[in-house]
């Protein structure tokens, strides 16, 4: 549970067990808004393709709608955990932010451009990157190209300028290194009882 965002999860290879346990919890323990309640089966494409009987989950006799993608605390999750939907949405937001920086670039000092970048674009690269950062190389490259574009925009460089040189000028790390740093921080906190108990354990 997080504020008004509640998730109920159950893992099993037996669909009847999933249906029975979740329906019991839905009946006995939770008061939920039916218009915002949905369920999703998560697994590999191969595993999900073998399912013939989808569980029937209900609240007070009303069936809960099944979805293939859902949003959880700002992260789009799909039934195969591929991260593709999340990265696509993220890329659109970042590209829009870069375009905004490019439009105001002639009218503001360089320092202001950097502040705009840190306020409007960098947080999208950072938010929950420990969760979605294990995506495919194709998706990783998609985001890295956007960071490269942002560096060229801030430095008034040509589209074919080597981004690694610009990162040195800007004192930036590439996205892969940024994600590795965040993972290392999470591991350090977990090993030193500075993280939530479910991570420390």
């Amino acid at each position: 549970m997080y504020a008004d965002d509640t998730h109920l999860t159950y893992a099993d290879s037996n669909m009847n067990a999933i249906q029975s346990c979740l329906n019991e919890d839905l009946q006995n323990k939770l008061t939920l808004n039916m218009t915002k309640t949905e369920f999703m089966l998560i697994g590999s494409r191969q595993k999900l393709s073998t399912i013939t009987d989808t569980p029937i989950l209900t609240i007070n006799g009303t069936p809960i709608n099944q979805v293939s993608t859902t949003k959880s605390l700002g992260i789009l999750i799909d039934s195969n955990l591929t991260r593709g939907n999340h990265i696509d949405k993220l890329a659109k937001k970042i590209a829009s932010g870069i375009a905004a920086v490019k439009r105001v670039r002639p009218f503001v000092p360089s320092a202001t451009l950097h502040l705009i970048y840190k306020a409007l674009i960098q947080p999208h690269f950072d938010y929950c990157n420990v969760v979605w950062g294990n995506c495919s190389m194709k998706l990783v490259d998609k985001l890295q190209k956007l960071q490269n574009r942002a560096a060229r925009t801030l430095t008034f460089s040509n589209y074919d300028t080597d981004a690694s040189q610009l990162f040195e000028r800007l004192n930036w790390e590439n996205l892969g290194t940024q994600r590795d740093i965040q993972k290392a921080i999470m591991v350090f906190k977990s090993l030193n009882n500075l993280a939530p108990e479910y991570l420390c354990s």
Side-chain angles (χ1 to χ4, degrees):
M1 297 183 74
Y2 183 86
D4 64 346
D5 194 348
T6 302
H7 288 225
L8 185 63
T9 61
Y10 188 77
D12 203 300
S13 58
N14 186 306
M15 204 57 64
N16 289 329
I18 292 174
Q19 178 173 296
S20 175
C21 290
L22 288 178
N23 276 323
E24 183 179 346
D25 282 345
L26 288 167
Q27 180 181 352
N28 297 330
K29 300 176 183 176
L30 295 174
T31 301
L32 300 172
N33 182 339
M34 274 301 299
T35 62
K36 296 181 179 179
T37 301
E38 55 198 19
F39 82 92
M40 181 169 65
L41 295 177
I42 297 176
S44 68
R45 284 191 177 89
Q46 294 82 359
K47 184 70 174 177
L48 292 180
S49 68
T50 64
I51 295 174
T52 54
D53 296 320
T54 302
I56 300 170
L57 305 179
T58 62
I59 298 177
N60 297 325
T62 304
I64 299 173
N65 188 40
Q66 182 179 4
V67 297
S68 58
T69 304
T70 190
K71 192 173 185 179
S72 176
L73 301 178
I75 301 294
L76 279 174
I77 301 171
D78 64 57
S79 56
N80 304 127
L81 299 181
T82 62
R83 312 297 187 209
N85 291 315
H86 180 71
I87 300 300
D88 286 346
K89 187 169 184 179
L90 197 60
K92 287 178 183 176
K93 289 181 180 178
I94 292 168
S96 177
I98 294 170
V101 168
K102 201 166 188 175
R103 283 194 298 272
V104 302
R105 190 172 60 172
F107 310 109
V108 297
S110 177
T112 302
L113 285 179
H114 289 260
L115 289 174
I116 293 171
Y117 171 83
K118 287 181 180 178
L120 295 183
I121 300 170
Q122 185 63 45
H124 292 302
F125 286 129
D126 293 341
Y127 180 70
C128 283
N129 63 9
V130 172
V131 175
W132 57 256
N134 63 338
C135 57
S136 68
M137 283 306 300
K138 180 181 177 182
L139 296 175
V140 165
D141 289 344
K142 186 173 188 175
L143 291 181
Q144 188 56 60
K145 286 176 181 175
L146 285 168
Q147 190 195 31
N148 297 351
R149 188 194 305 174
R152 293 180 184 117
T153 300
L154 288 177
T155 57
F156 296 80
S157 300
N158 294 328
Y159 72 92
D160 57 350
T161 304
D162 181 12
S164 59
Q165 296 177 4
L166 301 180
F167 290 170
E168 287 185 27
R169 280 176 54 188
L170 294 165
N171 198 26
W172 288 3
E173 301 288 355
N174 67 37
L175 295 182
T177 302
Q178 289 180 25
R179 288 192 298 272
D180 287 345
I181 290 169
Q182 291 304 313
K183 289 175 189 174
I185 290 170
M186 184 186 75
V187 170
F188 175 84
K189 288 182 175 180
S190 299
L191 292 174
N192 290 279
N193 294 315
L194 300 171
E197 192 276 335
Y198 65 86
L199 290 176
C200 296
S201 65

